[in-house]
Amino acid sequence: MSKNKIVLEQVSVAYRNGSASWWKRLRNRHETTTRVCPKAVLENISLEIGEGEFVCILGHSGCGKSTLLKVIAGFIHPDNGAVHVDGRKVEGPQADHVFVFQEGALFPWPTIAENVALALRTIKDPKEKMRRAQSYLEQVALEGVENDYPYMLSGGMRQRAEIARALAAEPDILLMDEPFSGLDYLTRLHLREEMLYLHIMLPNTTILFVTHDIDEALQLSNRLIILSEPPSQVKCCRTIKVPHPRTLTSPALSDLRSQIYHDLGVHTAI
């Protein structure tokens, strides 16, 4: 049984309509009597995530999946509750925690190899750094594009480059916010394989992966966390004990797939 890596204790988050400073100025000038009501997004979320787990977070659009990920990353401070990593309270982003954004985050001015090399800060020799960056690009089937710039690559290739950079960083925690959305179906399948390979390469890395795709979650994760409608709470957690590689037509996964559809309020799985 792995030890707990991430612990969330009664985490709640609410968004305000406009900034606090805007509201304060408006209130002081007596320009309105209408109270700006915060919108509750997460409500009393408590979770324990083990070291080396691959956890997918599912839920309807707008339920707070991305917000939950950003709270764990330290980008958003909860209004109530706390997040602890390795027993220490999260106060902000950490250097050994890598966040892969849905819209991508490669720097436009360095080449693809230079983007990956940014994660290799501990290597001082420039030639060795570029050699290592090239090896990570080869692991995600991006040979031959190391001297290209991000705008020269397709969306799928840019996402693979981000995965290569994540591999190079050897992160303690990897947080991924729908990184495959907007990609064609075959590219998504290839990237799922690469994610599984990444987890084999970094068995102690804890991965949290937000997705809308139930099949994607079933193929990748050790455990599924399903959020309710906002203000979101943990509706249920489901552990997947089927070993990799997984075939979605297997009876165990077919049954679990139907259960997840039911958890999400869809009673006929197509």
Side-chain angles (χ1 to χ4, degrees), residues 68-100:
L68 178 60
L69 213 62
K70 290 173 183 175
V71 169
I72 295 170
F75 296 144
I76 295 174
H77 293 284
D79 295 298
N80 293 297
V83 179
H84 292 85
V85 174
D86 292 328
R88 297 188 299 273
K89 186 177 180 180
V90 173
E91 301 287 358
Q94 301 296 311
D96 56 351
H97 301 169
V98 173
F99 200 111
V100 178

mmCIF file of all heavy atoms in Angstrom, residues 68-100:
data_model
loop_
_atom_site.group_PDB
_atom_site.id
_atom_site.type_symbol
_atom_site.label_atom_id
_atom_site.label_comp_id
_atom_site.label_asym_id
_atom_site.label_seq_id
_atom_site.Cartn_x
_atom_site.Cartn_y
_atom_site.Cartn_z
ATOM 1 N N LEU A 68 -9.955 22.180 -9.247
ATOM 2 C CA LEU A 68 -9.390 21.247 -8.279
ATOM 3 C C LEU A 68 -7.916 21.000 -8.565
ATOM 4 O O LEU A 68 -7.072 20.995 -7.652
ATOM 5 C CB LEU A 68 -10.166 19.928 -8.312
ATOM 6 C CG LEU A 68 -9.674 18.816 -7.375
ATOM 7 C CD1 LEU A 68 -9.735 19.271 -5.926
ATOM 8 C CD2 LEU A 68 -10.487 17.542 -7.572
ATOM 9 N N LEU A 69 -7.576 20.816 -9.834
ATOM 10 C CA LEU A 69 -6.189 20.588 -10.214
ATOM 11 C C LEU A 69 -5.321 21.799 -9.862
ATOM 12 O O LEU A 69 -4.192 21.653 -9.378
ATOM 13 C CB LEU A 69 -6.125 20.296 -11.721
ATOM 14 C CG LEU A 69 -5.037 19.334 -12.202
ATOM 15 C CD1 LEU A 69 -5.217 17.954 -11.597
ATOM 16 C CD2 LEU A 69 -5.029 19.248 -13.722
ATOM 17 N N LYS A 70 -5.839 22.998 -10.122
ATOM 18 C CA LYS A 70 -5.066 24.214 -9.845
ATOM 19 C C LYS A 70 -4.905 24.464 -8.350
ATOM 20 O O LYS A 70 -3.900 25.046 -7.919
ATOM 21 C CB LYS A 70 -5.735 25.403 -10.531
ATOM 22 C CG LYS A 70 -5.612 25.347 -12.048
ATOM 23 C CD LYS A 70 -6.412 26.442 -12.734
ATOM 24 C CE LYS A 70 -6.314 26.300 -14.252
ATOM 25 N NZ LYS A 70 -7.183 27.279 -14.958
ATOM 26 N N VAL A 71 -5.872 24.029 -7.554
ATOM 27 C CA VAL A 71 -5.730 24.122 -6.099
ATOM 28 C C VAL A 71 -4.600 23.212 -5.628
ATOM 29 O O VAL A 71 -3.752 23.604 -4.815
ATOM 30 C CB VAL A 71 -7.058 23.761 -5.396
ATOM 31 C CG1 VAL A 71 -6.848 23.580 -3.900
ATOM 32 C CG2 VAL A 71 -8.100 24.835 -5.646
ATOM 33 N N ILE A 72 -4.566 21.987 -6.159
ATOM 34 C CA ILE A 72 -3.506 21.048 -5.783
ATOM 35 C C ILE A 72 -2.149 21.583 -6.229
ATOM 36 O O ILE A 72 -1.136 21.437 -5.513
ATOM 37 C CB ILE A 72 -3.785 19.661 -6.395
ATOM 38 C CG1 ILE A 72 -5.057 19.056 -5.785
ATOM 39 C CG2 ILE A 72 -2.600 18.714 -6.178
ATOM 40 C CD1 ILE A 72 -5.560 17.808 -6.488
ATOM 41 N N ALA A 73 -2.104 22.228 -7.411
ATOM 42 C CA ALA A 73 -0.849 22.776 -7.932
ATOM 43 C C ALA A 73 -0.382 24.003 -7.168
ATOM 44 O O ALA A 73 0.784 24.395 -7.273
ATOM 45 C CB ALA A 73 -1.010 23.119 -9.407
ATOM 46 N N GLY A 74 -1.279 24.633 -6.414
ATOM 47 C CA GLY A 74 -0.919 25.838 -5.681
ATOM 48 C C GLY A 74 -1.185 27.116 -6.435
ATOM 49 O O GLY A 74 -0.833 28.204 -5.972
ATOM 50 N N PHE A 75 -1.839 27.026 -7.615
ATOM 51 C CA PHE A 75 -2.173 28.228 -8.382
ATOM 52 C C PHE A 75 -3.362 28.967 -7.780
ATOM 53 O O PHE A 75 -3.504 30.175 -7.967
ATOM 54 C CB PHE A 75 -2.494 27.868 -9.833
ATOM 55 C CG PHE A 75 -1.335 27.285 -10.588
ATOM 56 C CD1 PHE A 75 -1.530 26.279 -11.525
ATOM 57 C CD2 PHE A 75 -0.041 27.722 -10.378
ATOM 58 C CE1 PHE A 75 -0.468 25.734 -12.231
ATOM 59 C CE2 PHE A 75 1.030 27.191 -11.076
ATOM 60 C CZ PHE A 75 0.819 26.194 -12.000
ATOM 61 N N ILE A 76 -4.258 28.231 -7.109
ATOM 62 C CA ILE A 76 -5.435 28.808 -6.473
ATOM 63 C C ILE A 76 -5.411 28.431 -4.999
ATOM 64 O O ILE A 76 -5.190 27.263 -4.655
ATOM 65 C CB ILE A 76 -6.735 28.295 -7.127
ATOM 66 C CG1 ILE A 76 -6.836 28.762 -8.581
ATOM 67 C CG2 ILE A 76 -7.964 28.757 -6.345
ATOM 68 C CD1 ILE A 76 -8.031 28.173 -9.334
ATOM 69 N N HIS A 77 -5.623 29.414 -4.131
ATOM 70 C CA HIS A 77 -5.697 29.147 -2.699
ATOM 71 C C HIS A 77 -7.156 28.867 -2.332
ATOM 72 O O HIS A 77 -8.042 29.654 -2.682
ATOM 73 C CB HIS A 77 -5.175 30.328 -1.894
ATOM 74 C CG HIS A 77 -3.707 30.554 -2.063
ATOM 75 N ND1 HIS A 77 -2.762 29.757 -1.455
ATOM 76 C CD2 HIS A 77 -3.014 31.472 -2.781
ATOM 77 C CE1 HIS A 77 -1.554 30.182 -1.778
ATOM 78 N NE2 HIS A 77 -1.678 31.206 -2.598
ATOM 79 N N PRO A 78 -7.432 27.774 -1.633
ATOM 80 C CA PRO A 78 -8.821 27.485 -1.254
ATOM 81 C C PRO A 78 -9.354 28.506 -0.262
ATOM 82 O O PRO A 78 -8.592 29.067 0.540
ATOM 83 C CB PRO A 78 -8.724 26.084 -0.635
ATOM 84 C CG PRO A 78 -7.312 25.953 -0.178
ATOM 85 C CD PRO A 78 -6.492 26.748 -1.147
ATOM 86 N N ASP A 79 -10.660 28.751 -0.305
ATOM 87 C CA ASP A 79 -11.286 29.638 0.667
ATOM 88 C C ASP A 79 -11.363 28.975 2.030
ATOM 89 O O ASP A 79 -11.275 29.640 3.063
ATOM 90 C CB ASP A 79 -12.694 30.019 0.189
ATOM 91 C CG ASP A 79 -12.653 30.839 -1.097
ATOM 92 O OD1 ASP A 79 -12.081 31.936 -1.069
ATOM 93 O OD2 ASP A 79 -13.161 30.364 -2.121
ATOM 94 N N ASN A 80 -11.537 27.667 2.012
ATOM 95 C CA ASN A 80 -11.551 26.889 3.256
ATOM 96 C C ASN A 80 -10.809 25.584 3.019
ATOM 97 O O ASN A 80 -10.712 25.111 1.879
ATOM 98 C CB ASN A 80 -12.994 26.582 3.712
ATOM 99 C CG ASN A 80 -13.740 27.831 4.118
ATOM 100 O OD1 ASN A 80 -13.376 28.513 5.070
ATOM 101 N ND2 ASN A 80 -14.801 28.143 3.380
ATOM 102 N N GLY A 81 -10.306 25.006 4.092
ATOM 103 C CA GLY A 81 -9.590 23.744 3.980
ATOM 104 C C GLY A 81 -8.147 23.947 3.560
ATOM 105 O O GLY A 81 -7.653 25.081 3.463
ATOM 106 N N ALA A 82 -7.474 22.826 3.279
ATOM 107 C CA ALA A 82 -6.050 22.881 2.944
ATOM 108 C C ALA A 82 -5.658 21.677 2.107
ATOM 109 O O ALA A 82 -6.335 20.645 2.112
ATOM 110 C CB ALA A 82 -5.206 22.927 4.223
ATOM 111 N N VAL A 83 -4.550 21.845 1.366
ATOM 112 C CA VAL A 83 -3.942 20.756 0.600
ATOM 113 C C VAL A 83 -2.550 20.518 1.182
ATOM 114 O O VAL A 83 -1.800 21.472 1.415
ATOM 115 C CB VAL A 83 -3.821 21.110 -0.898
ATOM 116 C CG1 VAL A 83 -3.171 19.960 -1.658
ATOM 117 C CG2 VAL A 83 -5.182 21.434 -1.486
ATOM 118 N N HIS A 84 -2.225 19.247 1.418
ATOM 119 C CA HIS A 84 -0.903 18.885 1.918
ATOM 120 C C HIS A 84 -0.239 17.918 0.941
ATOM 121 O O HIS A 84 -0.877 16.990 0.448
ATOM 122 C CB HIS A 84 -0.995 18.234 3.302
ATOM 123 C CG HIS A 84 -1.427 19.176 4.384
ATOM 124 N ND1 HIS A 84 -2.753 19.436 4.646
ATOM 125 C CD2 HIS A 84 -0.699 19.935 5.260
ATOM 126 C CE1 HIS A 84 -2.843 20.300 5.646
ATOM 127 N NE2 HIS A 84 -1.613 20.620 6.026
ATOM 128 N N VAL A 85 1.018 18.163 0.647
ATOM 129 C CA VAL A 85 1.834 17.258 -0.156
ATOM 130 C C VAL A 85 3.020 16.829 0.692
ATOM 131 O O VAL A 85 3.754 17.676 1.213
ATOM 132 C CB VAL A 85 2.326 17.942 -1.454
ATOM 133 C CG1 VAL A 85 3.301 17.034 -2.192
ATOM 134 C CG2 VAL A 85 1.152 18.285 -2.362
ATOM 135 N N ASP A 86 3.166 15.521 0.865
ATOM 136 C CA ASP A 86 4.220 14.980 1.736
ATOM 137 C C ASP A 86 4.143 15.581 3.133
ATOM 138 O O ASP A 86 5.169 15.838 3.787
ATOM 139 C CB ASP A 86 5.608 15.224 1.140
ATOM 140 C CG ASP A 86 5.858 14.415 -0.120
ATOM 141 O OD1 ASP A 86 5.315 13.296 -0.216
ATOM 142 O OD2 ASP A 86 6.571 14.897 -1.015
ATOM 143 N N GLY A 87 2.913 15.833 3.592
ATOM 144 C CA GLY A 87 2.718 16.343 4.938
ATOM 145 C C GLY A 87 2.900 17.837 5.095
ATOM 146 O O GLY A 87 2.682 18.377 6.187
ATOM 147 N N ARG A 88 3.277 18.543 4.008
ATOM 148 C CA ARG A 88 3.485 19.987 4.078
ATOM 149 C C ARG A 88 2.355 20.712 3.352
ATOM 150 O O ARG A 88 1.964 20.327 2.241
ATOM 151 C CB ARG A 88 4.831 20.377 3.451
ATOM 152 C CG ARG A 88 6.030 19.795 4.175
ATOM 153 C CD ARG A 88 7.332 20.368 3.619
ATOM 154 N NE ARG A 88 7.508 20.050 2.217
ATOM 155 C CZ ARG A 88 8.075 18.925 1.774
ATOM 156 N NH1 ARG A 88 8.487 18.006 2.635
ATOM 157 N NH2 ARG A 88 8.216 18.717 0.476
ATOM 158 N N LYS A 89 1.869 21.761 3.959
ATOM 159 C CA LYS A 89 0.762 22.523 3.380
ATOM 160 C C LYS A 89 1.208 23.206 2.095
ATOM 161 O O LYS A 89 2.282 23.816 2.035
ATOM 162 C CB LYS A 89 0.256 23.558 4.380
ATOM 163 C CG LYS A 89 -1.001 24.297 3.910
ATOM 164 C CD LYS A 89 -1.499 25.251 4.976
ATOM 165 C CE LYS A 89 -2.751 26.000 4.503
ATOM 166 N NZ LYS A 89 -3.252 26.937 5.557
ATOM 167 N N VAL A 90 0.381 23.125 1.057
ATOM 168 C CA VAL A 90 0.667 23.763 -0.227
ATOM 169 C C VAL A 90 0.356 25.254 -0.117
ATOM 170 O O VAL A 90 -0.780 25.645 0.150
ATOM 171 C CB VAL A 90 -0.147 23.123 -1.363
ATOM 172 C CG1 VAL A 90 0.024 23.906 -2.653
ATOM 173 C CG2 VAL A 90 0.251 21.670 -1.558
ATOM 174 N N GLU A 91 1.375 26.075 -0.319
ATOM 175 C CA GLU A 91 1.212 27.529 -0.263
ATOM 176 C C GLU A 91 1.363 28.175 -1.633
ATOM 177 O O GLU A 91 1.052 29.349 -1.811
ATOM 178 C CB GLU A 91 2.238 28.133 0.701
ATOM 179 C CG GLU A 91 2.145 27.617 2.132
ATOM 180 C CD GLU A 91 0.935 28.145 2.901
ATOM 181 O OE1 GLU A 91 0.179 28.963 2.326
ATOM 182 O OE2 GLU A 91 0.749 27.745 4.056
ATOM 183 N N GLY A 92 1.868 27.419 -2.615
ATOM 184 C CA GLY A 92 2.079 27.956 -3.953
ATOM 185 C C GLY A 92 2.684 26.890 -4.839
ATOM 186 O O GLY A 92 2.944 25.762 -4.394
ATOM 187 N N PRO A 93 2.927 27.196 -6.121
ATOM 188 C CA PRO A 93 3.506 26.215 -7.048
ATOM 189 C C PRO A 93 4.892 25.759 -6.585
ATOM 190 O O PRO A 93 5.648 26.524 -5.989
ATOM 191 C CB PRO A 93 3.591 26.993 -8.372
ATOM 192 C CG PRO A 93 2.589 28.093 -8.232
ATOM 193 C CD PRO A 93 2.581 28.476 -6.791
ATOM 194 N N GLN A 94 5.209 24.491 -6.892
ATOM 195 C CA GLN A 94 6.495 23.906 -6.528
ATOM 196 C C GLN A 94 7.275 23.549 -7.786
ATOM 197 O O GLN A 94 6.699 23.135 -8.798
ATOM 198 C CB GLN A 94 6.284 22.645 -5.675
ATOM 199 C CG GLN A 94 5.516 22.885 -4.393
ATOM 200 C CD GLN A 94 6.266 23.795 -3.431
ATOM 201 O OE1 GLN A 94 7.443 23.584 -3.164
ATOM 202 N NE2 GLN A 94 5.582 24.823 -2.937
ATOM 203 N N ALA A 95 8.600 23.655 -7.705
ATOM 204 C CA ALA A 95 9.455 23.415 -8.865
ATOM 205 C C ALA A 95 9.402 21.975 -9.343
ATOM 206 O O ALA A 95 9.578 21.702 -10.535
ATOM 207 C CB ALA A 95 10.897 23.801 -8.537
ATOM 208 N N ASP A 96 9.168 21.013 -8.440
ATOM 209 C CA ASP A 96 9.152 19.605 -8.828
ATOM 210 C C ASP A 96 7.746 19.098 -9.144
ATOM 211 O O ASP A 96 7.524 17.895 -9.237
ATOM 212 C CB ASP A 96 9.807 18.728 -7.759
ATOM 213 C CG ASP A 96 9.163 18.898 -6.382
ATOM 214 O OD1 ASP A 96 8.333 19.819 -6.220
ATOM 215 O OD2 ASP A 96 9.495 18.116 -5.473
ATOM 216 N N HIS A 97 6.796 20.020 -9.300
ATOM 217 C CA HIS A 97 5.438 19.669 -9.728
ATOM 218 C C HIS A 97 5.219 20.275 -11.106
ATOM 219 O O HIS A 97 5.329 21.489 -11.277
ATOM 220 C CB HIS A 97 4.387 20.206 -8.749
ATOM 221 C CG HIS A 97 4.552 19.708 -7.354
ATOM 222 N ND1 HIS A 97 3.855 20.229 -6.276
ATOM 223 C CD2 HIS A 97 5.348 18.727 -6.842
ATOM 224 C CE1 HIS A 97 4.212 19.595 -5.170
ATOM 225 N NE2 HIS A 97 5.117 18.680 -5.498
ATOM 226 N N VAL A 98 4.923 19.444 -12.106
ATOM 227 C CA VAL A 98 4.778 19.908 -13.483
ATOM 228 C C VAL A 98 3.298 19.935 -13.856
ATOM 229 O O VAL A 98 2.574 18.961 -13.634
ATOM 230 C CB VAL A 98 5.555 18.996 -14.455
ATOM 231 C CG1 VAL A 98 5.264 19.383 -15.901
ATOM 232 C CG2 VAL A 98 7.055 19.099 -14.186
ATOM 233 N N PHE A 99 2.857 21.058 -14.433
ATOM 234 C CA PHE A 99 1.470 21.233 -14.858
ATOM 235 C C PHE A 99 1.447 21.306 -16.378
ATOM 236 O O PHE A 99 2.095 22.176 -16.972
ATOM 237 C CB PHE A 99 0.891 22.525 -14.261
ATOM 238 C CG PHE A 99 -0.612 22.584 -14.234
ATOM 239 C CD1 PHE A 99 -1.296 22.523 -13.030
ATOM 240 C CD2 PHE A 99 -1.347 22.704 -15.392
ATOM 241 C CE1 PHE A 99 -2.678 22.584 -12.993
ATOM 242 C CE2 PHE A 99 -2.721 22.761 -15.371
ATOM 243 C CZ PHE A 99 -3.393 22.699 -14.158
ATOM 244 N N VAL A 100 0.711 20.395 -17.023
ATOM 245 C CA VAL A 100 0.541 20.404 -18.482
ATOM 246 C C VAL A 100 -0.841 20.968 -18.774
ATOM 247 O O VAL A 100 -1.855 20.360 -18.442
ATOM 248 C CB VAL A 100 0.696 18.990 -19.084
ATOM 249 C CG1 VAL A 100 0.470 19.029 -20.594
ATOM 250 C CG2 VAL A 100 2.080 18.423 -18.764
#
